[in-house]
Amino acid sequence: MASKTNMRVILALTLVHFTGDFYSAFTTPLFPVFVEKLGLSLTQVGVIAGLNRFLAFIVQPSAGYWADRYPSRFFSVGGLLLAVVFIPLCGWATGFWSLLTVIALGSVGSSLFHPAVTGMIPAYAGSRAGLSMSIFNTGGTLAFGVGPIFITWYTARFGLGAVPLTMVLGLAVALYLYLTLPPPIAAPVAGGFLATVRASLGPAWRAIALIWLVMVLRALTGQSFMTFMPLLFVQEGYSLVTAGGIFALFTVAGTFSGLLAGSLSDRIGPKPVFLFTHGLMTPVLLVFLQLEGRWIYPGALLAGGVVLATLPLGVVMAQALAPRGRSMVASLMMGFAFGLGGLAAPLIGRLADIYSIRAVLTGAAFLPLATVALIAWFPKVPTREAA
């Protein structure tokens, strides 16, 4: 692997990530509109959010396997096209089932491109794996910040029925990426799916399983807040656009905290960064839920920054421990972790119907405490200077 970072390719892969997640970000901030227009219950909202994550669990490991074995733009650009086309069709949904269908198809597309493009990052990152993965992750977190602001403004201005027209932007980007993105590099792994998983993880499987468990618990907390936070603020009197803005601040903060975390991990290793941020999550989230007025905006920045900071680092650690199957490992750390975290979304929605959203999010804020003890057992990964 070359020691020099190919930033042009890193930025192209980041554009794939940004565009796909930009459209994926449409769903959550529009939940208050879907609840009003389609008469959805919070349980149904949880089912939609849970299926979104669950499809990542179903599709990403197998997509990572095929992306490693048979490199093709089908995964990166084809998956992007599914997200770009089907997610905007939510504006024409007439009920729960039609809404569930288009979001499910868009989620499959997201699951296809994520492991493929994430697996390409180490091949072009050189000696700056942490920073490169954080830049790539910035595409996603920035999209989840910009997307809600755009779609809530757009829907308030033009109406829900005009949302499908937004796919024109994504189609233009997909064409550009098809013409400019380099072909992916095949991973040196042969055999069937299970054999590939064993060969990819090798003797590091215990350490990777530990990292994965922490990523699942982090995803459960983060996705609970990101799914139900807009509904909470609309219920408490904020406008749809304001609630979307708070959601955007929460996610945009992860853009900058992820870059900082990635740069620090290259210098001091990812484990201290994990310990610091996960130790702060519970108190920061509990304070955030108590804030009112203008204080809620800096609170959203701080809460999102802490919750999302380590999102790229789990992938970096796992790829360093098991470099033979980069797309597969990336799918386990992102899709598989998000999928299992998302399985709880219907339960979270049901509990919110019974006890209130605020009570359920308060309980979810305590989950990161369980991760601190697990992080203490993380293996050491060489820093950039040591490498």
Side-chain angles (χ1 to χ4, degrees), residues 27-28 31 34-35 38 40-55 90 93 95-104 107 227-228 342 345-346:
T27 304
T28 299
F31 276 149
F34 297 141
V35 168
L38 305 180
L40 302 182
S41 68
L42 294 179
T43 302
Q44 289 175 316
V45 169
V47 169
I48 294 172
L51 180 65
N52 188 349
R53 312 301 188 262
F54 184 64
L55 285 172
C90 69
F96 169 72
W97 289 107
S98 59
L99 179 62
L100 188 70
T101 299
V102 295
I103 290 177
S107 300
T227 299
F228 294 100

Side-chain angles (χ1 to χ4, degrees), residues 106-118:
S107 300
V108 169
S110 178
S111 299
L112 286 175
F113 79 76
H114 269 100
V117 293
T118 307

Side-chain angles (χ1 to χ4, degrees), residues 239-253:
S239 70
L240 176 66
V241 175
T242 301
I246 296 171
F247 178 89
L249 288 174
F250 188 95
T251 53
V252 166

Side-chain angles (χ1 to χ4, degrees), residues 15-265:
L15 180 59
V16 179
H17 199 189
F18 173 84
T19 306
D21 284 357
F22 178 78
Y23 283 88
S24 296
F26 286 8
T27 304
T28 299
L30 290 181
F31 276 149
V33 181
F34 297 141
V35 168
E36 179 185 354
K37 299 292 185 181
L38 305 180
L40 302 182
S41 68
L42 294 179
T43 302
Q44 289 175 316
V45 169
V47 169
I48 294 172
L51 180 65
N52 188 349
R53 312 301 188 262
F54 184 64
L55 285 172
F57 157 61
I58 292 285
V59 176
Q60 279 208 30
S62 57
Y65 163 72
W66 291 108
D68 278 336
R69 289 290 306 278
Y70 303 104
S72 169
R73 287 189 177 90
F74 166 78
F75 297 97
S76 55
V77 180
L80 178 62
L81 281 172
L82 283 176
V84 162
V85 170
F86 283 101
I87 290 177
L89 291 177
C90 69
W92 288 347
T94 57
F96 169 72
W97 289 107
S98 59
L99 179 62
L100 188 70
T101 299
V102 295
I103 290 177
L105 291 171
S107 300
V108 169
S110 178
S111 299
L112 286 175
F113 79 76
H114 269 100
V117 293
T118 307
M120 291 174 67
I121 293 293
Y124 298 96
S127 61
R128 302 182 70 89
L131 180 61
S132 296
M133 187 63 72
S134 295
I135 292 173
F136 172 77
N137 184 68
T138 294
T141 52
L142 183 60
F144 275 104
V146 176
I149 294 176
F150 169 78
I151 199 59
T152 51
W153 166 82
Y154 183 90
T155 304
R157 176 69 177 82
F158 300 105
L160 192 62
V163 170
L165 297 178
T166 62
M167 72 174 67
V168 174
L169 298 172
L171 292 173
V173 173
L175 176 61
Y176 166 77
L177 288 168
Y178 178 78
L179 297 174
T180 60
L181 197 66
I185 301 171
V189 177
F193 180 78
L194 294 178
T196 299
V197 173
R198 289 194 295 267
S200 298
L201 303 186
W205 71 270
R206 289 184 179 86
I208 291 176
L210 185 63
I211 298 168
W212 172 81
L213 180 57
V214 170
M215 296 292 280
V216 169
L217 294 174
R218 191 216 63 80
L220 180 56
T221 298
Q223 294 302 320
S224 295
F225 272 80
M226 293 174 72
T227 299
F228 294 100
M229 184 170 52
L231 287 165
L232 172 66
F233 292 126
V234 169
Q235 280 186 358
E236 297 186 349
Y238 292 89
S239 70
L240 176 66
V241 175
T242 301
I246 296 171
F247 178 89
L249 288 174
F250 188 95
T251 53
V252 166
T255 300
F256 301 102
S257 65
L259 287 171
L260 178 60
S263 182
L264 285 174
S265 72

Side-chain angles (χ1 to χ4, degrees), residues 315-337:
V315 181
V316 171
M317 289 187 72
Q319 288 180 332
L321 294 169
R324 297 189 64 196
R326 294 166 186 149
S327 297
M328 172 66 70
V329 170
S331 70
L332 292 174
M333 290 298 113
M334 285 189 169
F336 201 40

